[in-house]
Amino acid sequence: MNERLLDQASQGKRLDANQLKELYYEAPLAALGAAADAVKRLNSGNRVFYNRNFHIEPTNICRYHCHFCSYRRDVGDPEAWDYSIEQMLEQVKIRSKSGATEVHIVGGVHPEHSLDFYIELIRQIHQLLPNVAIKAFTAIELAYMIKASGISLKMGLEKLIAAGMSAIPGGGAEIFNDEIRRKICGEKGSAEEWLEVHEMAHRLGLKTNATILYGHIESIDDRIDHLLRLRMLQDRTNGFSAFIPLKYRSRHNSMAQIGEVSIVEDMKMMAISRLALDNFPHIKAYWPMFGKTTAEIALGFGADDVDGTIDDSTKIYSMAGAEDQKPSITITEIEQMAAAHGYTAIERDTFYNEIIR
């Protein structure tokens, strides 16, 4: 293994595709983790971030048929749901005293819900919780609802911002390689469309997150290409807050036969993400996807964020067989996860401002 390359990586130097590939294949796991942890410390010191949040998932009815998805259902399926605005507002009211600083809204791409429907949802949530950030809709959801409305992407985003939307999550990126994307989610919007939505959001002042779906039929080259395309956009806009590597989970979908990658692979992916994305301030170990134990390990491989308390309000990964079938975590558990690595858990808002209670 090239010790000089490991030293460059540990210092947060910009690495090209070949260097990242060499680290992925040749660096001992402990050394790779140490390099990523060093970069994490350059960015965040001894802090590990979390927030108090909850999710609203308006529907799991979706016009797309992604092969990796365990979440979508057809109209009429006994496991389908399609909440009205009133039903979603009730979910908000139930959690209005929870201390949450963020409402996270993602769901299926419903073939009939209009942009106006979602604008009204955002507007009413913002009226109920004016001091809570609304992080809403994947780029794929946004592209569909805005295009169907017949207005420009810029105008559609401006309408949602005016209603109270304050950030965009990172879902829907999956993998940017066109050939792999056609095989696993060929109906869904393209990589270029995903990147266009996020770039426009950044131009309008919105902070967004980014993701990758890894561990299915993609190659290491595909993963690195995905990371570097995100890095290029961040160079232009500086609008991404965090990157979240999302592991393919194999239960209850049409790709189940391929199984899942190991925890070793998860940690290599986490570390390479931290080393590749030198211009991303934060890398998130999303605990509802990994499970709490694996998320804690990931804090030693470059992650500096574990997401939030969630309060059993998301089904996306539980329906795919994730460890936590009723995802919820306490502040004490998060503090213990951070302390296991000698870190301090810091409560943040959506924009990574520290919250003192």
Side-chain angles (χ1 to χ4, degrees), residues 40-51:
K40 177 263 174 216
R41 290 176 183 274
L42 289 174
N43 281 273
S44 301
N46 71 340
R47 297 173 297 172
V48 166
F49 296 97
Y50 71 93
N51 69 344

Side-chain angles (χ1 to χ4, degrees), residues 150-167:
I151 62 176
S152 69
L153 174 61
K154 180 175 184 287
M155 186 177 295
L157 290 173
E158 286 173 337
K159 285 177 175 286
L160 287 159
I161 293 167
M165 185 178 79
S166 49

Side-chain angles (χ1 to χ4, degrees), residues 90-102:
E90 282 303 311
Q91 296 176 37
V92 173
K93 290 173 184 175
I94 288 169
R95 295 181 169 92
S96 63
K97 305 297 184 185
S98 67
T101 60
E102 177 184 286

Side-chain angles (χ1 to χ4, degrees), residues 21 34 44 48 52 55 58 103 116 125 129 135 170-171 198 244 250 259 263 279-280 305 325 332 352:
K21 191 172 178 180
S44 301
V48 166
R52 299 182 198 234
H55 289 224
V103 183
D116 287 340
I125 292 174
L129 299 175
K135 185 167 72 179
H198 282 266
I244 308 106
S250 64
I263 292 178
N279 54 4
F280 272 62
D305 190 293
Q325 288 296 294
T332 298
Y352 285 87

